[in-house]
Amino acid sequence: MAFAEQTIAEFLDDVAARAVTPSGGAVAAVGGAFGAALCEMVCIHTIEKDDDGVESELSTVRTELETRRVRLLELADEDSTAIDELQAAFAASTDEGRAELIDERSRRAADVPLDIAEACLDVLDHAKTVTATGNRNALADAGTGAFLAHAALKAAVFTVRANLELIEEPAVGEEIEERVAEIDGRGDEALAQVRANIEDVI
């Protein structure tokens, strides 16, 4: 069953279990999806009120946030699959193709949380617009959404870096680390802008 089809309680029960998955990457993705949903909500309230003529801009932002929310839930499933497949590779009998299989699946276990981090960065970038132009009465919700997305981004970045240790090819690891560092820095910059936008609330 896809995580999106579970209740929140079911998902949490699966996390708080002996099974390896869902683990950090999947939880980060779901956290990012919560952040996107909160920012979507603020868009909706603002569009309905439409006091400042921002309906068109926030309608587009709302659609983009919904797309990221759906994608993050998909990525939660993809992360669990990637980790399960990596665990299966480690458990496989030793043979000449085992090392190559582990390296291939280690790359996937790093790529998926990297995608999660990128999706969370997109949410944060949209949160800058939402907190700047959204309904002022809902700023706490938009800010909470941004904080969740930022935490999810940080968690995904941490997961990528942890999984990089399993990749044998240095050039591949360096390429991924370069992307991770950029995403991490941009995420911090986006959150700083969000904080500036909601400074009268926090």
Side-chain angles (χ1 to χ4, degrees):
M1 178 186 293
F3 295 136
E5 297 172 359
Q6 292 185 310
T7 66
I8 294 174
E10 287 170 341
F11 178 73
L12 293 177
D13 282 343
D14 282 351
V15 173
R18 185 167 185 170
V20 175
T21 57
S23 52
V27 173
V30 172
F34 274 115
L38 278 168
C39 290
E40 280 182 73
M41 181 185 73
V42 177
C43 289
I44 292 168
H45 286 305
T46 307
I47 291 166
E48 288 177 348
K49 194 170 183 181
D50 194 24
D51 284 342
D52 301 316
V54 296
E55 178 176 353
S56 178
E57 181 181 18
L58 286 189
S59 292
T60 301
V61 169
R62 176 194 175 187
T63 300
E64 291 293 326
L65 285 165
E66 180 181 13
T67 299
R68 298 304 180 277
R69 171 168 55 86
V70 171
R71 180 60 184 142
L72 281 162
L73 290 180
E74 293 171 347
L75 285 167
D77 290 316
E78 291 179 24
D79 183 80
S80 288
T81 298
I83 298 302
D84 284 339
E85 290 178 349
L86 178 59
Q87 292 294 318
F90 277 118
S93 299
T94 302
D95 58 45
E96 61 183 16
R98 181 172 181 265
E100 182 179 345
L101 181 61
I102 290 174
D103 191 59
E104 173 190 323
R105 293 185 176 177
S106 296
R107 172 66 187 265
R108 182 64 178 155
D111 280 343
V112 177
L114 181 59
D115 289 342
I116 293 169
E118 289 181 330
C120 289
L121 177 59
D122 286 342
V123 173
L124 278 167
D125 282 338
H126 290 308
K128 292 188 298 184
T129 302
V130 176
T131 54
T133 62
N135 188 319
R136 305 306 290 176
N137 294 327
L139 271 188
D141 298 301
T144 300
F147 293 140
L148 287 172
H150 184 259
L153 183 153
K154 288 292 188 180
V157 163
F158 176 78
T159 301
V160 174
R161 287 176 168 152
N163 291 336
L164 281 182
E165 298 177 4
L166 302 172
I167 297 176
E168 295 291 336
E169 190 175 344
V172 173
E174 290 171 7
E175 177 187 348
I176 294 175
E177 173 55 38
E178 186 176 320
R179 290 177 64 196
V180 166
E182 179 186 358
I183 292 168
D184 197 14
R186 288 179 57 194
D188 289 345
E189 291 171 3
L191 185 66
Q193 182 60 59
V194 167
R195 283 182 174 276
N197 291 343
I198 61 174
E199 61 184 3
D200 56 336
V201 174
I202 57 175

